[in-house]
Amino acid sequence: MEFVSPEGLRLDGRRPRELRRINCQLDVLSNADGSAIFEMGNTKVLAAVFGPHAVTRRSELREEGALVVCEYSMAAFSTGERRRRGKGDRRSTELSMVIRNTLEQAVITELLPRSQIDVYVQVLQADGGTRCAAINAAVLALAAAGVPLRDLVAGCAAGYLDGTALLDLNYTEDSGGGPDLCVALAPRLDSLYLVQMDNRLPVDTFQAVMELAREGCRTISGVMRAALLEHTQRLAVARGITAAV
Amino acid sequence: MRPIELELGVIAQAAGSARLHIGATDVIVGVKVEVASPSPFAPTQGRLGVTVEFSPCASPVYQGRFGETYGEQIAAAIEASLAPSTRAGGAAAAAAAPANGGAAGASTSATATAAPTPSASGPSWGLDLGKLCISAGKTAWALYVDALVLNDDGNVVGAVSAATLAALVDTRIPKVEVTTDAAGEEEIELDDSPGAAWRLDVSRVPLVVTVAQVGSQCVVDLAAPEERCSSSALHVAVNRAGQVCGATSSGRAGVEASMLLAMTETAQRLAPGLWEQIMRFLQSPAR
């Protein structure tokens, strides 16, 4: 299969270094303390944050910082072929751990000792890059919940197919057999909170792909920041703190 | 009833989908169709599967496996309302006397179905699963209705039922042609063009209305805090003609026998209007 046409266009018409259309919605659920929907092309992920609240299981209480609990689940209708996957299968458990690990680094946990923050991620539509979209949705939901964050961490995937480094793979490209690199970056601190790669990749190509993914993270973080600012502004107007712009 | 907000086609990967808000209750229903083999007990019918899942986004209590049985209970009620024979026992539903409705399990969470008017062709209510058959005994469409509850502010059953109806209206099923080649092997050809797709006949799909007993009153569309005050609830499936197609009871205290008739009558009065309202919205040219 040809992933990049001779004209330099990908299967969905994008350029190799082009992201899909991003859409962020904040505070979409009324019950959660913070929630967000992060959309990237056909991938759509919902995240809800509850807390910080008292630790539910005493044995997990941490004196030095907050405990971050994460659960990732996929809706039965989210994938192309229907699969009853629910919660608790191996892939979901692994992803829960990956997201939890990333978020624990992003949250300034030492400000919230002896407390717990629940993050629930629900994939509504899956079309490649759910790992990164899940992180982005979770970060937005945390920000909406007012949890102190070190930086607006953003995740982005990049791959290497047909001798070209490709940004933000969709499902067809993801299952194309090439290497797939998933990165979460704190853009202002310039530190990588998550690096995951499958398949083999020469070191010099790896650097190119890595640089591309980081660039993607910075762009996504910018879009997320703009969405958050707009949302906060709308909230401020609604509560009569500032006049409408 | 609280105002209902409805959105269609929210899930691109599904054959049909709908998102419904009623109060703060928020559900998404996705319908998927795929070619499968029919059940050996009903070789000329398609398959139907309903699942209801509570997302932990609704509340942290749904973390892990909690809420799964509650979801299954709702799924059973919805599935029984969509197709008479899948879970309630095929022969029993067809042979049931044309009762005037109101047959309900008195114990908690028992399902009872009563056929209003058994007709000669197709089932008297619900979906005509016979239309989903592609090749008798070999292939048929499997219809999967998956509901995801994103927020629970009461009346989840009613919300899932209405969203399911809307998603079924939205559902497009690709056209297939069965050809027999020289060796006598049947081949199925799928026509993927949107113009060739057909839609389900939903005119006989009932809506499930939950009538709860609070004190000595019948109350519909309870919000979450009200639900905690109700002693029992009856989920009544009513079609557009006002006929009762099934009932499931749930709750802590059991339905009071003297209340039962009033509860079913409340549902019978409410459902046809709701049905027409949803349909009018779905068929309005503004959409």
Side-chain angles (χ1 to χ4, degrees):
Chain A
M1 199 150 111
E2 189 183 54
F3 290 98
V4 183
S5 72
E7 294 82 35
L9 291 177
R10 286 153 74 174
L11 292 169
D12 53 6
R14 279 185 292 160
R15 299 268 170 203
R17 307 172 70 87
E18 198 176 328
L19 288 168
R20 286 175 283 179
R21 191 182 48 82
I22 303 174
N23 184 24
C24 310
Q25 289 172 52
L26 286 141
D27 280 333
V28 283
L29 299 174
S30 52
N31 269 7
D33 292 310
S35 58
I37 286 181
F38 184 86
E39 254 179 283
M40 197 152 194
N42 269 334
T43 298
K44 190 172 183 182
V45 181
L46 168 76
V49 169
F50 293 86
H53 56 78
V55 180
T56 38
R57 241 179 279 159
R58 265 288 177 76
S59 57
E60 289 176 349
L61 188 134
R62 281 167 49 186
E63 292 288 345
E64 70 276 17
L67 174 75
V68 180
V69 173
C70 187
E71 194 175 283
Y72 171 98
S73 49
M74 281 181 104
F77 48 71
S78 63
T79 45
E81 231 165 87
R82 183 188 178 277
R83 243 171 310 171
R84 179 97 181 93
R85 59 171 355 142
K87 310 157 187 169
D89 65 336
R90 283 182 64 176
R91 188 172 174 271
S92 307
T93 318
E94 187 247 316
L95 270 165
S96 302
M97 286 312 295
V98 166
I99 297 164
R100 177 188 180 165
N101 201 345
T102 311
L103 296 180
E104 254 175 350
Q105 298 172 77
V107 174
I108 312 178
T109 48
E110 52 270 30
L111 287 181
L112 309 154
R114 304 171 67 86
S115 61
Q116 177 182 341
I117 302 165
D118 299 323
V119 182
Y120 301 110
V121 176
Q122 178 80 54
V123 176
L124 300 176
Q125 288 184 67
D127 183 25
T130 51
R131 199 175 293 253
C132 302
I135 291 171
N136 296 338
V139 168
L140 280 172
L142 282 170
V147 174
L149 298 170
R150 274 178 231 286
D151 200 349
L152 208 57
V153 177
C156 188
Y160 191 79
L161 283 165
D162 288 353
T164 329
L166 301 176
L167 187 63
D168 184 21
L169 305 181
N170 66 19
Y171 182 74
T172 341
E173 292 167 337
D174 208 4
S175 34
D180 170 24
L181 177 71
C182 177
V183 169
L185 175 83
R188 283 204 292 193
L189 307 169
D190 206 26
S191 68
L192 296 163
Y193 285 170
L194 168 71
V195 178
Q196 268 191 323
M197 191 181 75
D198 45 20
N199 265 325
R200 211 156 51 131
L201 195 59
V203 175
D204 47 339
T205 337
F206 174 77
Q207 282 207 320
V209 175
M210 185 66 174
E211 191 37 58
L212 187 61
R214 281 170 63 190
E215 209 174 289
C217 288
R218 278 190 280 268
T219 314
I220 294 171
S221 183
V223 174
M224 282 160 59
R225 186 174 291 275
L228 267 172
L229 274 174
E230 199 197 318
H231 177 72
T232 316
Q233 212 137 40
R234 221 178 296 136
L235 275 182
V237 171
R239 291 182 191 167
I241 301 167
T242 53
V245 189
Chain B
M1 299 279 284
R2 293 170 283 182
I4 293 177
E5 235 177 90
L6 202 55
E7 230 178 304
L8 282 197
V10 285
I11 306 294
Q13 269 108 328
S17 59
R19 182 171 184 179
L20 184 133
H21 292 261
I22 178 159
T25 298
D26 187 349
V27 296
I28 295 185
V29 172
V31 178
K32 285 221 170 225
V33 288
E34 48 187 63
V35 176
S37 56
S39 141
F41 303 107
T44 57
Q45 291 194 335
R47 277 176 188 267
L48 176 75
V50 182
T51 62
V52 176
E53 211 179 303
F54 282 85
S55 167
C57 293
S59 158
V61 297
Y62 296 120
Q63 204 189 135
R65 308 194 79 83
F66 188 86
E68 226 167 61
T69 41
Y70 183 35
E72 264 166 35
Q73 218 174 312
I74 299 175
I78 302 289
E79 194 170 315
S81 80
L82 287 181
S85 55
T86 44
R87 249 184 235 201
N100 46 17
S107 65
T108 32
S109 69
T111 305
T113 45
T117 42
S119 61
S121 65
S124 50
W125 85 85
L127 293 168
D128 188 359
L129 290 180
K131 281 207 179 126
L132 292 173
C133 180
I134 300 168
S135 159
K138 284 182 188 138
T139 43
W141 286 109
L143 200 63
Y144 293 109
V145 179
D146 298 303
L148 185 67
V149 181
L150 295 179
N151 207 353
D152 179 1
D153 185 29
N155 198 12
V156 172
V157 182
V160 171
S161 168
T164 302
L165 176 66
L168 287 173
V169 171
D170 188 42
T171 301
R172 283 187 179 85
I173 299 175
K175 206 174 165 176
V176 283
E177 249 169 67
V178 182
T179 48
T180 316
D181 66 6
E185 290 275 310
E186 281 187 354
E187 245 176 66
I188 296 169
E189 239 174 86
L190 246 152
D191 191 346
D192 251 343
S193 65
W198 56 282
R199 284 165 188 267
L200 290 161
D201 175 23
V202 294
S203 61
R204 282 188 286 210
V205 173
L207 276 175
V208 180
V209 178
T210 303
V211 188
Q213 187 186 340
V214 181
S216 57
Q217 296 287 317
C218 292
V219 188
V220 292
D221 189 25
L222 284 87
E226 293 172 318
E227 245 169 28
R228 266 167 238 142
C229 304
S230 75
S231 54
S232 63
L234 191 66
H235 313 291
V236 192
V238 182
N239 65 8
R240 67 193 292 200
Q243 290 163 319
V244 176
C245 307
T248 311
S249 71
S250 70
R252 288 166 287 134
V255 182
E256 246 173 68
S258 56
M259 294 280 290
L260 192 67
L261 201 62
M263 284 167 113
T264 36
E265 272 173 1
T266 313
Q268 269 176 300
R269 266 202 312 277
L270 196 74
L274 189 62
W275 206 98
E276 297 299 337
Q277 237 181 342
I278 291 173
M279 278 308 160
R280 217 176 309 133
F281 170 75
L282 292 178
Q283 276 148 11
S284 64
R287 263 197 54 248

